[in-house]
Amino acid sequence: MKLLALDTSSEGCSAALFVDGEVFEKFEIAPRGHTRLLMPMIRGLLAEQGLKPADLDALAFACGPGSFTGVRIATGVIQGLAWGLDLPVVPVSSLEAVALGAIEALQVGEGEGVAVAFDARMSELYWGCFRNRSGLPELLGEERVCSPSRVALEAGVANWVGASQGWAFRDGMPDDISERINSVDEALVPRASWVARLAAVKFSQGLAVPADRAQPVYIRDEVTWKKLPGRE
């Protein structure tokens, strides 16, 4: 199977190729460079593996939550490629992608938990709790956006780690959260290599969608979005 995955949902910009079980990635921290970097990354990856766009079987992208602008960039590129190449798309949660990275980076054991927190601006966090299920993140409850003071760990998991930059707001979280977290890696951001690996599994489970259904996931509802200055 040959799958191209993209991520621009945070300050990181990356593209990855999943080729018959192997993953090849280009990644750069570039908060304002997604548009400039993404297409050269895609072309470079394909050229290095001796592939043409027509050789791909599927596409994938980190659909959010994350930076509104970043998520829209990946969505637009992936939809254009999907329509042009007539390929299915696998949307992957940005929070889930980081949970996969945390399972490996923090050596999370079977059945243990990963609490992923992104800075959602406006004094809020994007929050998702996952359990390690045979090396893959299993979502517990729902992904949501809330203030640090309202985050909560899901029941049924004894040991937890924290992942991503939202943990910089740990002091604002309830006391019992900090007490139950064994370690935290604030440096983890979504990467296309993690998106690709999750997408390959989801594709085998029949979770790919046509281009018009490859949509961004903002989580933040319309009422909250309208709170931004200058919005009516």
Side-chain angles (χ1 to χ4, degrees):
M1 179 190 181
K2 298 175 180 62
L3 178 147
L4 172 69
L6 310 179
D7 171 67
T8 55
S9 62
S10 72
E11 61 267 34
C13 178
S14 56
L17 273 176
F18 180 97
V19 181
D20 301 327
E22 289 189 83
V23 178
F24 308 91
E25 182 188 50
K26 291 187 180 294
F27 173 87
E28 186 172 332
I29 295 293
R32 293 176 178 81
H34 300 93
T35 302
R36 171 177 55 86
L37 292 170
L38 196 56
M39 291 308 297
M41 284 181 171
I42 294 170
R43 288 192 291 267
L45 281 169
L46 290 170
E48 289 167 12
Q49 298 308 311
L51 297 174
K52 303 183 296 294
D55 295 325
L56 297 170
D57 299 303
L59 305 169
F61 74 117
C63 61
S67 158
F68 287 168
T69 300
V71 170
R72 287 197 295 272
I73 290 170
T75 302
V77 172
I78 216 73
Q79 284 183 334
L81 290 171
W83 270 311
L85 298 170
D86 192 23
L87 288 175
V89 179
V90 183
V92 174
S93 159
S94 307
L95 293 166
E96 184 182 5
V98 169
L100 176 63
I103 286 173
E104 298 172 350
L106 300 177
Q107 298 182 326
V108 177
E110 176 72 16
E112 296 181 342
V114 180
V116 184
F118 295 168
D119 182 1
R121 310 301 180 190
M122 295 189 288
S123 301
E124 291 185 318
L125 299 175
Y126 294 121
W127 180 260
C129 291
F130 301 83
R131 174 167 48 202
N132 178 6
R133 181 70 72 188
S134 301
L136 295 173
E138 174 189 36
L139 179 63
L140 303 175
E142 296 181 347
E143 297 180 350
R144 60 196 184 104
V145 61
C146 61
S147 66
S149 65
R150 300 191 65 182
V151 300
L153 299 175
E154 297 294 327
V157 175
N159 297 312
W160 289 90
V161 300
S164 211
Q165 74 274 24
W167 281 94
F169 301 94
R170 186 172 182 172
D171 289 346
M173 297 179 185
D175 292 340
D176 70 301
I177 299 289
S178 290
E179 292 168 0
R180 295 173 62 190
I181 295 291
N182 296 325
S183 62
V184 172
D185 188 338
E186 295 181 15
L188 292 174
V189 297
R191 296 186 68 127
S193 56
W194 300 332
V195 174
R197 288 167 52 196
L198 289 170
V201 174
K202 294 177 185 292
F203 183 83
S204 70
Q205 296 170 339
L207 298 178
V209 300
D212 62 335
R213 290 179 55 198
Q215 297 294 327
V217 175
Y218 297 124
I219 295 182
R220 194 186 296 280
D221 62 29
E222 186 178 359
V223 174
T224 307
W225 171 244
K226 287 182 178 179
K227 290 180 183 177
L228 287 171
R231 299 224 170 239
E232 298 298 333

